[in-house]
Amino acid sequence: MSSVGSPPAFRRPASSVRRATVGALVASLAGGLLAVLPAATAQAAPTLLSQGKTATASSTEGAAFAASAAVDGNLTGTRWASQWTDAQWVQVDLGQSATLSRALLTWEGAYGKSYEIQASENGTEWRTVTTVTGGDGGTDDVTLSGTGRYVRMNGLTRGTGYGYSLWEFQVYGSTDGGGPTLPGGGDLGPNVHVIDPSTPNIQAKLDQVFREQESAQFGAGRHAFLLKPGTYNNLNAQIGFYTQIAGLGLRPGDTTINGDVTVDAGWFNGNATQNFWRGAEGLTLNPVNGTNRWAVSQASSFRRMHVKGGLNLAPNGYGWASGGYIADSKIDGQVGNYSQQQWYTRDSSIGGWSNSVWNQTFSGVEGAPATSFPEPRYTTLDTTPISREKPYLYLDGNEYKVFAPAKRVNARGTSWANGTPQGESVPLSRFYVVKPGATAATINQALAQGLHLLFTPGVYHVDQTINVNRANTIVLGLGLATIIPDNGVTAMKVADVDGVRLAGFLIDAGPVNSPTLLELGPQNSGADHAANPTTVQDVYIRIGGAGAGKATTSVVVNSDDAIIDHTWVWRADHGEGWGWETNRADYGVRVNGDDVLATGLFVEHFNKYDVEWYGERGRTIFYQNEKAYDAPNQAAIQNGTTKGYAAYRVDDSVNTHEAWGLGSYCNYNVDPTIVQDHGFKAPVKPNVKFHSLLVVSLGGMGHYNHVINDTGASTIPAGTSTVPSTVVNFP
């Protein structure tokens, strides 16, 4: 029987109703949350800290139901009760800062259906430790992490028509200190090069790093050049592997280079298809000859850039290129696409665009060509439905801060067109600055303290999962900081909380198989994050290439409303440690959450499905895929009665889904006789819609019978000509 349409064992019910008891929620979180606290904090057994302490509340139902009744130890005799409205809280002052481990909430009949447990050092600035959804009354035993003097239950939604009513609110933890508190802020480590216009020998330093990184595709070097606001003359910053260049101004106009930021492909004989893992951000360029060259392929971002001239996306000699991504940028002149096979541009302004090759997609781009797919192969959306730009480091006077841009709805053009962008500035003192040699235990301790993370350029082995459990946490990498999970752990897990921002790092699978590499939300996540979604931006996944690596599923998105904005999820087809079983990785991205949006999704070479979508109302704007080159024969990819696994599959249970600008390519160079039945698979339903689809056989190395399901012409008649087979709209 064909496995097409068969759900994974852990998928949520097709009804999309994901209510769970708190007990089930805690069970799903406990493994990760308990791992957060470093060993040093577990020396003393958790004790009851709240009983008899000072308690206050947002309201009471009457004098008999004071906040103090929730911490008096009288389990079923006295209780706190609020007024009969939502958004009520009760808090307790523990008397001193404590390491938190557990909260026990004994509800009367009027219970909290959804609520947050929050902690604070001063009683005014609160951070969410954990969020409970789908509560059903009774007793809730909630695992906590982090520190705080004040702890409160912040009610969001009542379970009944009455208020919130607690017989007892018990907070457990320890006050023995549990080891030293980690400091926030500090220097940016050895691989960050901070320069200003007066710095001597800037060009020489740029050239030195480029010589090291130009062809170091799988090397360990990591670098970030951060340019203080000002004007830099006569620079040509050539950008190699694992190198980031960025301005330290709040706006691109604060940092100007009279010169170029260049990516070319001389190291690879004029072929730019392997110019991966690099980036440029937050600069204004006045190119020397009027046009800046940025000949990149996957995992190379161009953000918040203002080019006062043209932008050439092809290498010198106009050889092959397989990029790429532009966001929140202004190109005054024409973007010369030339040999770029595919490209996605979002929320920008351009002076024009040339050539189309296979798949050029635009959303929210002023000056973009109109949709004309299949020829020229342009797909254009006037706006981007939801976007929130990547956080970035900047200087406010002499103080480093991270700017977290605000969410935009139906965005068009840059976020900075009218001056200062909208958003929040977070001082570096609220970040743990992660430097080479840091351990997972230390990183988790920092998160538990309520700090954000700034990974400086380097390679980080982690022997336990990095657990991001607090709402609005920022995890920002510089210089393509790389996280390698050891012993088969999941590299990073994010709780089902609001507003987490992951940006600017690479997760590289280790030699022991990991079940997953990145998880957003635990199974059956159900909280509504529409107002403040989690975002994943310039976060790249690699399995093999730098050495043998394995992972069953690379990225799992369980949380609702998440935004995946530019990712490359790649099972290696060259380098070291690759082969059909050597870097086995069956699934690339699996989306279980509802209302998830992907803008700029690149997923390649997985042994089975590259993308599987189970959530409702999912949307993808631009998708690029290559099937696994190294399949040994037809039998290796046989999927029941179906030939091959689709590059992008929407589950039969899904009723609403929409996608624009999707391409899948095959290059079965081990066995060129392999045939895929289709590149895309989806249920035929009125609200499951695809626009601008294509499949391509690269030089006749394998073929597709159809584009999507049984629709679309075979690539076989095209032979070796690499002429795409297209479908304009489906169904």
Side-chain angles (χ1 to χ4, degrees), residues 275-328:
N275 280 352
F276 312 140
W277 302 306
R278 63 199 77 199
E281 300 182 37
L283 297 166
T284 293
L285 304 180
N286 285 301
V288 169
N289 67 357
T291 300
N292 188 80
R293 187 183 301 277
W294 185 255
V296 298
S297 287
Q298 290 83 359
S300 299
S301 63
F302 199 79
R303 291 182 181 270
R304 294 184 301 107
M305 298 289 286
H306 185 185
V307 180
K308 293 186 173 181
L311 187 66
N312 185 343
L313 304 180
N316 186 25
Y318 300 95
W320 293 341
S322 185
Y325 177 89
I326 294 171
D328 202 26

Side-chain angles (χ1 to χ4, degrees), residues 526-545:
D528 183 354
H529 306 296
N532 186 13
T534 285
T535 51
V536 178
Q537 300 174 288
D538 301 350
V539 173
Y540 311 125
I541 307 291
R542 182 172 69 196
I543 302 97

